[in-house]
Amino acid sequence: MKKHLIKVVLSCAVVMGGFSSCKNSSSSKNVSRATGWKINAKEGGFQYNSDFKEQETPPGTVFVEGGTFTKGKVQDDIMHDWNNTPTQQHVQSFYMDETEVTNVMYLEYLDYLKEVYPPDNPNYANIYKGALPDTLVWRNRLGFNETMTNNYLRHPAYAEYPVVGVNWVQATQYAEWRTDRVNEVMLEREGYLAEDSKYKVLNGEIEGTFSTEAYLNNPESVYGGEIDSLQGKQKKDSINAFAKRSSGIIMPAYRLPTETEWEYAAQALVGTREYNNYRGRKKYPWEGDYTRNGQRVGRGDQLANFKQGKGDYGGIAGWSDDGADITGEVKSYKPNDFGLYDMAGNVNEWVADVYRPIVDDEISDFNYFRGNVFMKKAIGEDGKVEILRDEIVYDTLPNGKIVAINLPGEIKEVPVTEEETYLRTNFDKSDNRGFRDGDPGSSRFFSRFSDEEDNQKMYDAPKHSVERNEEGELVRQYDESNFRTSLINNEVRVYKGGSWRDRAYWLDPAQRRYLPQYMATDDIGFRCAMSRVGSKSRTKKTVRHKKAR
């Protein structure tokens, strides 16, 4: 018995002499519970943000706590689309813009592109031009809308109106740009970048810009390799000269919300107490089955901006009017229980998903999303990620519009290869947009079908092509085949929410329509989302801890 006691005492003595006390090794947040080594030591070693509390709410967004809901329409189906059969889904917590992206928000983006990538520079000419909204969407063969064509985007009177004429590709590129600008601000605030570094780019003092992914993977490459001259107070500490993901400062990317996220956020069941609503019977983002306010204050007022009948876009002028004949200023109506404005009416909104009438909940009922294209960072011969400096990749959309796929200073990405997915069970190829959408590949007897790729597709949409000849002229080739069976392909995206042009039928959060991702209209806008990292809910975690005490 005494021998065993002596061994225990000696063991503790070794730990106390080599690292720290046994008590401290388990209680101090700056001492590793795995090794007993110090964390964040001045001498070096493992550096980690042990003081991180929770993700900061991104600019312009509100927190949407995740949960379970019934996705898919369970109300009217007068169109007999049968494209949204109710399914039970679970959504993780995320953040979403409290309003649609407005004209003034989008103009800030355009101004940045124009300053940093001057259109008069032949290398940059199509960056700014490709981001411009299509203002001609307002034109009508038998209507006078030239006022909106000329003024809607830029006139201050429409500053807080939702931007329209933006296609899906442009919306996703705006979200990528916004990610970099917000993270730039965060790094300045925390001392990793000198104050007002971002303005030196705008003023032309620095050639090159900031890219979040480039900074995380090769920080010396950002700002055209001149980041040393822009580092802040953290440079004094060589250990923490650059922020990392483990620093907890870099925010996740802004992006378009998935269809599941958007529908969940629009329903806002968080404020509902009726059982039927939890079972998917809530018709609008607000309580009740009517579009007019039934409360004592404001009784009879419309709760959204939508078309009320043929030739009736706002009602009779005066007390019964909804306040808008086209789009309306954001925040003109009450928000839903998540604090989100205009989740019904005003403008439809792009979501991230590729459209399919089939929702395969047998494969996934957690964060459902159709549209995954898995990419990886390209690695150069030197073993470092490839930074696209002067090389700009452009894409010519089917309608002839040229857009920049990447901006200078970003990381080159390439598809995941079959060698990298070998023996994986969760995915086996890079492009999964058409996975289990009803094609032969969805069948358990897939091997009985032809191996030719064209025969494995269910949706046989027309294949138009647009190319440029040697003179730079567009050559459009229309698909004139008589054997096409569908308009659906992997470039067709979902939009939701109803708009100023739509009847109340489309205000149901579960309604869904689709449009090619390169097209734009005068009634489709967008808002951004961002994933939440860490705990599902701040408040519930705190309440549980208090109850436990």
Side-chain angles (χ1 to χ4, degrees):
M1 190 70 176
K2 289 182 180 180
K3 290 181 180 179
H4 290 295
L5 287 173
I6 291 172
K7 287 182 179 180
V8 172
V9 172
L10 288 175
S11 298
C12 283
V14 170
V15 173
M16 290 173 66
F19 306 109
S20 59
S21 68
C22 292
K23 180 179 180 181
N24 288 339
S25 65
S26 60
S27 62
S28 174
K29 62 183 178 181
N30 283 321
V31 175
S32 169
R33 291 190 292 116
T35 63
W37 283 45
K38 289 182 180 179
I39 298 175
N40 301 322
K42 294 181 179 180
E43 299 79 10
F46 182 50
Q47 303 294 313
Y48 197 79
N49 185 0
S50 56
D51 293 323
F52 183 81
K53 297 294 187 298
E54 62 184 26
Q55 183 178 351
E56 183 176 340
T57 300
T61 69
V62 297
F63 175 65
V64 179
E65 182 182 344
T68 298
F69 80 115
T70 302
K71 176 186 177 182
K73 180 175 56 60
V74 291
Q75 297 290 318
D76 306 319
D77 190 22
I78 59 176
M79 305 297 290
H80 300 290
D81 286 335
W82 300 106
N83 67 350
N84 44 3
T85 304
T87 63
Q88 194 81 355
Q89 297 285 338
H90 188 92
V91 182
Q92 280 188 296
S93 298
F94 61 101
Y95 297 89
M96 180 178 271
D97 277 340
E98 60 176 349
T99 72
E100 296 107 345
V101 171
T102 62
N103 284 318
V104 70
M105 294 168 68
Y106 200 85
L107 283 173
E108 183 182 8
Y109 168 52
L110 293 177
D111 183 69
Y112 182 94
L113 295 181
K114 193 172 185 178
E115 291 292 329
V116 178
Y117 310 107
D120 54 2
N121 184 330
N123 294 328
Y124 300 150
N126 288 310
I127 293 180
Y128 173 74
K129 187 177 179 180
L132 286 171
D134 182 6
T135 58
L136 299 182
V137 294
W138 288 105
R139 282 186 168 166
N140 188 306
R141 294 182 182 88
L142 296 177
F144 178 71
N145 296 335
E146 291 303 294
T147 301
M148 281 82 78
T149 299
N150 297 326
N151 294 285
Y152 184 81
L153 174 63
R154 300 186 183 278
H155 198 286
Y158 295 111
E160 293 300 331
Y161 284 54
V163 67
V164 297
V166 175
N167 62 43
W168 184 92
V169 176
Q170 292 172 314
T172 56
Q173 291 173 333
Y174 170 86
E176 293 173 2
W177 169 86
R178 186 177 176 186
T179 300
D180 294 336
R181 303 292 75 78
V182 169
N183 280 325
E184 219 170 359
V185 171
M186 295 299 172
L187 290 171
E188 275 190 22
R189 189 187 69 183
E190 299 300 322
Y192 288 93
L193 290 176
E195 188 176 355
D196 296 335
S197 294
K198 54 186 177 294
Y199 295 114
K200 293 186 178 182
V201 175
L202 286 173
N203 297 331
E205 299 176 41
I206 295 291
E207 292 187 5
T209 59
F210 174 88
S211 165
T212 300
E213 288 301 317
Y215 179 85
L216 288 171
N217 289 274
N218 187 4
E220 293 85 358
S221 68
V222 299
Y223 296 118
E226 298 183 53
I227 191 172
D228 284 343
S229 63
L230 297 176
Q231 285 188 263
K233 61 183 179 181
Q234 293 288 356
K235 186 177 181 181
K236 297 177 182 178
D237 184 354
S238 59
I239 298 176
N240 296 313
F242 300 111
K244 304 177 180 64
R245 289 198 194 276
S246 58
S247 304
I249 296 169
I250 304 293
M251 286 196 169
Y254 281 94
R255 54 180 173 77
L256 291 181
T258 67
E259 181 182 4
T260 308
E261 288 175 332
W262 193 99
E263 188 173 326
Y264 174 81
Q267 286 192 15
L269 299 176
V270 66
T272 302
R273 293 294 179 266
E274 297 181 17
Y275 176 76
N276 282 338
N277 287 344
Y278 280 109
R279 301 304 298 172
R281 301 296 300 182
K282 190 176 182 182
K283 190 171 185 177
Y284 300 116
W286 53 82
E287 294 296 329
D289 295 327
Y290 305 98
T291 62
R292 290 191 181 272
N293 190 350
Q295 299 177 354
R296 184 173 181 179
V297 178
R299 185 184 298 274
D301 290 346
Q302 289 287 7
L303 297 172
N305 174 21
F306 65 100
K307 185 178 180 180
Q308 298 170 34
K310 185 174 178 59
D312 184 357
Y313 288 86
I316 301 173
W319 67 270
S320 70
D321 191 65
D322 67 9
D325 43 19
I326 55 169
T327 56
E329 187 172 342
V330 297
K331 296 188 177 182
S332 295
Y333 302 91
K334 292 182 180 180
N336 69 6
D337 289 325
F338 277 130
L340 300 167
Y341 293 87
D342 293 322
M343 293 300 285
N346 212 18
V347 291
N348 290 290
E349 298 178 17
W350 288 114
V351 296
D353 291 59
V354 170
Y355 176 81
R356 292 291 189 274
I358 300 169
V359 176
D360 193 347
D361 63 328
E362 293 183 2
I363 287 293
S364 177
D365 57 4
F366 182 77
N367 287 346
Y368 186 91
F369 168 61
R370 180 177 288 282
N372 278 317
V373 180
F374 301 123
M375 305 289 283
K376 66 176 182 177
K377 298 174 179 59
I379 306 298
E381 295 179 357
D382 58 356
K384 295 183 179 181
V385 293
E386 289 188 34
I387 306 296
L388 296 170
R389 298 261 183 214
D390 299 323
E391 180 185 355
I392 305 172
V393 180
Y394 291 104
D395 185 21
T396 302
L397 303 181
N399 59 358
K401 192 176 184 69
I402 301 174
V403 296
I405 300 302
N406 74 279
L407 296 178
E410 295 181 347
I411 290 180
K412 181 180 180 180
E413 291 190 333
V414 294
V416 175
T417 63
E418 293 183 1
E419 289 76 9
E420 293 168 305
T421 62
Y422 180 64
L423 292 183
R424 277 192 173 274
T425 58
N426 54 336
F427 71 99
D428 57 3
K429 60 182 179 179
S430 181
D431 189 346
N432 296 271
R433 290 175 294 179
F435 179 69
R436 285 182 61 91
D437 61 355
D439 62 3
S442 306
S443 169
R444 61 184 296 190
F445 303 113
F446 174 63
S447 59
R448 297 183 183 179
F449 293 86
S450 170
D451 292 334
E452 297 181 9
E453 184 177 355
D454 288 341
N455 293 332
Q456 297 173 10
K457 296 179 179 179
M458 178 178 181
Y459 298 97
D460 187 22
K463 298 178 181 179
H464 307 302
S465 66
V466 179
E467 297 179 352
R468 287 189 175 274
N469 58 24
E470 295 179 356
E471 289 75 27
E473 299 173 342
L474 285 178
V475 179
R476 294 181 171 90
Q477 296 180 342
Y478 295 95
D479 188 335
E480 299 178 355
S481 171
N482 294 323
F483 300 99
R484 299 302 183 188
T485 58
S486 172
L487 293 176
I488 301 172
N489 58 31
N490 288 341
E491 280 72 47
V492 168
R493 303 286 173 167
V494 178
Y495 67 91
K496 298 172 74 74
S499 74
W500 63 276
R501 279 193 177 277
D502 296 315
R503 299 290 188 93
Y505 170 78
W506 295 106
L507 303 185
D508 186 333
Q511 293 288 0
R512 58 203 300 258
R513 287 175 282 181
Y514 62 91
L515 192 72
Q517 65 185 31
Y518 58 85
M519 296 184 69
T521 71
D522 63 358
D523 63 346
I524 299 181
F526 71 101
R527 72 180 76 207
C528 296
M530 179 186 290
S531 300
R532 175 173 171 81
V533 294
S535 63
K536 178 176 182 289
S537 171
R538 300 162 295 182
T539 53
K540 287 187 176 181
K541 184 177 180 181
T542 304
V543 171
R544 289 194 192 104
H545 286 177
K546 287 182 178 179
K547 286 182 178 180
R549 294 193 188 110

